[in-house]
Amino acid sequence: MALILAGSGPLDRDGNMKGQSLNISRDLAALVTAQGWGSLRFDKRGVGASGGDYLSTGFFDELSDIEAAYDWLATEAGASDIFAIGHSIGATFAVGLAGTRDLSGVVALALNAKLGEETSTWQAMQMKDTLLPKPLNLLLALVGTDLVKQQRKTLNRLKATTGDVARIRLAWVNARWMREFMAYDPVPALKKVVVPMLAITGSKDVQVDPSDLQVVAEYVPTAETQLIPDADHILRHEPAEVSNPRLYRKQATKPFHPRIPEVLDGWLNART
């Protein structure tokens, strides 16, 4: 049985949010179903058919919800041999779940292995030339600033907040979630993983440092790590020299990079 864990943001069971349909969770479910596996995926708190409020939900609240999903599978559904398959922050939660529940294995797709704040800064460095339209990047350069500096200001403002929700740059954001994420170090959780683990990251991922796979290999003796050439953060083939997150919706119309199902299928089949 696969427990599928989505990335960051107010994502539904398919891995989609308003204005962005990537269908990563849906496609992962289809992949494991084709191999004869059952799966569970769910709308995040305050999203879709789930109750509660998304913006006031913290990082550790999300982990608690995931633990509840596991507990339901293990008790109410009577499932055994539960594997957590997570993408992006869902991969972080999958690793965390391995330290609190009796998983049979972990699949971590685009796993961050740095302090959350360090990853946020790394992301800005990678995306500074692609995330914003060229005219806006030029304007920022003319006034002596750039995306990296703006990101640092935003992170500092978030760190200074005390409530669950804050208004940052005219938008309400889940401030507590961000504070907890920025302070979260994945390494202690990685050290607790004793079950089989597969970690996959694309070489053109601009949201998770591909070199974090080396950290996984260092701290998890049971881990198999795979760097997929020319795969981006949403696990699609990226023909351009640099991945552009502004084009994710177009990328999402393509199937997974062919190496993703090949590696994942082989790893899962070896454990059935």
Side-chain angles (χ1 to χ4, degrees), residues 109-131:
L109 305 166
L111 173 66
N112 158 56
K114 291 181 173 62
L115 198 71
E117 185 172 358
E118 293 178 12
T119 288
S120 296
T121 301
W122 184 89
Q123 289 173 352
M125 288 292 296
Q126 306 310 305
M127 297 188 286
K128 63 181 181 179
D129 296 326
T130 59
L131 190 59

Side-chain angles (χ1 to χ4, degrees), residues 191-234:
K191 291 180 177 179
K192 294 179 181 179
V193 177
V194 295
V195 296
M197 178 175 175
L198 172 64
I200 299 175
T201 302
S203 68
K204 292 183 178 176
D205 197 322
V206 293
Q207 292 183 248
V208 167
D209 187 349
S211 70
D212 282 359
L213 285 175
Q214 298 171 18
V215 180
V216 175
E218 178 181 356
Y219 290 112
V220 186
T222 60
E224 175 186 335
T225 60
Q226 290 274 349
L227 179 67
I228 306 299
D230 297 326
D232 62 13
H233 184 68
I234 64 169

Side-chain angles (χ1 to χ4, degrees), residues 29-41:
L31 192 155
V32 299
T33 298
Q35 297 301 313
W37 287 56
S39 67
L40 173 67
R41 50 199 166 99

Side-chain angles (χ1 to χ4, degrees), residues 94-118:
V95 171
L97 187 66
T100 65
R101 297 297 189 273
D102 185 20
L103 289 175
S104 296
V106 173
V107 176
L109 305 166
L111 173 66
N112 158 56
K114 291 181 173 62
L115 198 71
E117 185 172 358
E118 293 178 12

